[in-house]
Amino acid sequence: MTVSPFIEHLPKAELHLHIEGTFEPELMLRIARRNNVPLPFASADEAKAAYNFSNLDEFLSIYYQCMSVLITQDDFCDLTCAYLDRVAAQTVRHAEIFFDPQAHTSRGMDFATVCNGIRAGLDYGRERHGITSRLIMCFLRHLEEDDAMATLEQAMPFRESIYAVGLDSSETGNPPGKFTRVFAQARDAGFAAVAHAGEEGPAEYVREAVDILRVQRIDHGCRVLDDPSLTSELAGRAIPFTVCPLSNHKLRVVDTLEQHPLRDMLDAGLTVTLNSDDPAFFGGYINENYQSMQDRLGIDDATLASIARNSFNAAFLDDTRRAELLAQLDSYLNTR
Ligand code: HPA
Ligand code: ZN
């Protein structure tokens, strides 16, 4: 996909990005070899050929397999640095990054190894590229709430490194309400909160995420449109939605990108951002997600600029950095 110069240089924030989903096959094979652990793929081409999914669960099964080659703190640091090196060239100025601690602690890793490795990568990104970041710890919704509660306890010594909690993994049959207590405890401890909702699951899960988990943003959320009164309520409250078109297409939430509901979400007055989810698996990083919506839905440059503005307004930024990034965006738009 050819990315237009306008999109390439447009300052933007990434708000929906799983760091384990940035694991490119070349780096995965290198780390697997270094750690002497087996992978089901012998080459990068073989891996990419296996990235054909008919739903979220089929993807998740490969995703958890791939990340199991990550063993040392340096592995997590290398993964994070590689992502930031790549998106520095996509004019990403700020990134809010999910990680899945339970996918690592469940295979015997220390929480500290994972968190400190990612943290070191984020520090590198700020020093080398000036990219600011926030780290968001996701609970795996296919596991029990007690497991999430234990993970929250493990995270407390890393309170300064982790800004927010989130909720991801297998959505159907795992409603937000299953995690009422752990989100309440996390909010009491000062964490911000977001949740995946309405990706494969119904609009009702979006309502639960907002009303019961009291999240500040909805990840994906396209299915909110099935409930017009909820849609207008969330439009009125300007709850941000972190939409990921290439993900929705690869996981067959939509059959074609032309059928993606982005324009309907915009027309409904929702606050929408564009993001990449698991770019190593879904065929594109943030700029390819912007470009795909221009190519397939005819979303014009002015609308993409307003989506980039939403990304800074919806980010967990302090006032100074937010003002700085909005000024960078204005200056970019004014000098064109
Ligand atoms: N949905 C749910 N869980 C996930 C995803 C997703 O798109 N990516 C990584 N974990
Ligand atoms: Zn996601």
Side-chain angles (χ1 to χ4, degrees):
M1 192 186 307
T2 310
V3 171
S4 76
F6 176 78
I7 292 170
E8 187 185 350
H9 300 293
L10 177 68
K12 58 187 81 68
E14 168 74 81
L15 301 180
H16 186 154
L17 186 278
H18 302 263
I19 196 64
E20 299 93 340
T22 69
F23 208 2
E24 290 288 342
E26 293 79 8
L27 182 62
M28 191 192 310
L29 289 157
R30 182 143 46 89
I31 290 181
R33 229 173 288 126
R34 174 162 101 190
N35 290 337
N36 211 4
V37 291
L39 261 183
F41 324 111
S43 68
D45 285 344
E46 235 178 74
K48 285 175 194 158
Y51 296 170
N52 260 308
F53 314 110
S54 42
N55 54 43
L56 173 60
D57 279 350
E58 275 190 26
F59 157 68
L60 289 170
S61 148
I62 289 197
Y63 167 77
Y64 294 128
Q65 240 177 310
C66 290
M67 71 174 78
S68 72
V69 309
L70 296 162
I71 308 281
T72 68
Q73 188 167 313
D74 281 350
D75 297 343
F76 285 89
C77 181
D78 290 352
L79 175 67
T80 308
C81 292
Y83 166 69
L84 293 166
D85 283 341
R86 189 184 272 262
V87 296
Q90 294 211 349
T91 330
V92 169
R93 303 290 193 219
H94 176 79
E96 307 207 333
I97 295 184
F98 296 127
F99 75 119
D100 285 331
Q102 289 158 294
H104 309 296
T105 54
S106 66
R107 55 190 178 85
M109 296 203 44
D110 284 342
F111 192 99
T113 304
V114 180
C115 189
N116 291 337
I118 298 171
R119 181 79 261 156
L122 297 178
D123 290 346
Y124 159 87
R126 198 185 51 245
E127 285 155 24
R128 178 83 178 79
H129 301 298
I131 301 176
T132 49
S133 59
R134 298 292 193 195
L135 193 51
I136 305 175
M137 166 176 92
C138 283
F139 301 120
L140 297 183
R141 70 199 308 156
H142 67 275
L143 301 177
E144 293 310 308
E145 186 179 36
D146 284 349
D147 206 312
M149 203 61 101
T151 303
L152 181 59
E153 293 297 329
Q154 287 176 298
M156 291 315 290
F158 303 90
R159 183 67 199 80
E160 296 308 308
S161 293
I162 301 171
Y163 194 84
V165 297
L167 186 65
D168 67 0
S169 192
S170 223
E171 187 178 11
T172 308
N174 295 301
K178 178 177 167 185
F179 297 93
T180 304
R181 288 182 309 121
V182 73
F183 267 69
Q185 188 155 320
R187 283 186 281 104
D188 286 349
F191 291 97
V194 299
H196 286 54
E199 178 186 14
E200 284 189 347
E204 180 56 28
Y205 286 15
V206 177
R207 160 132 354 251
E208 282 190 23
V210 171
D211 287 354
I212 302 179
L213 302 188
R214 299 176 188 271
V215 299
Q216 285 137 286
R217 297 197 299 248
I218 293 289
D219 297 312
H220 294 296
C222 299
R223 290 199 56 193
V224 71
L225 294 171
D226 296 342
D227 182 339
S229 86
L230 180 61
T231 300
S232 61
E233 180 190 329
L234 299 187
R237 292 168 63 183
I239 298 283
F241 286 70
T242 64
V243 175
C244 310
L246 294 178
S247 166
N248 295 150
H249 182 228
K250 280 284 183 180
L251 301 185
R252 305 210 201 161
V253 169
V254 291
D255 290 333
T256 67
L257 280 165
E258 285 77 6
Q259 290 168 350
H260 193 279
L262 176 71
R263 191 180 285 284
D264 298 332
M265 296 177 84
L266 291 167
D267 289 348
L270 293 170
T271 300
V272 172
T273 65
L274 282 171
N275 308 275
S276 58
D277 211 2
D278 302 284
F281 295 90
F282 299 154
Y285 284 73
I286 192 166
N287 284 357
E288 287 79 19
N289 276 278
Y290 275 67
Q291 187 68 49
S292 74
M293 292 291 90
Q294 179 147 82
D295 292 348
R296 306 303 188 95
L297 294 186
I299 304 292
D300 62 15
D301 284 350
T303 305
L304 292 181
S306 76
I307 288 172
R309 187 178 307 280
N310 288 346
S311 76
F312 294 135
N313 284 323
F316 295 129
L317 288 164
D318 63 45
D319 293 346
T320 310
R321 179 67 174 154
R322 193 186 320 278
E324 183 179 308
L325 291 172
L326 289 168
Q328 280 184 24
L329 175 62
D330 285 332
S331 143
Y332 175 71
L333 298 173
N334 288 334
T335 53
R336 289 186 66 256

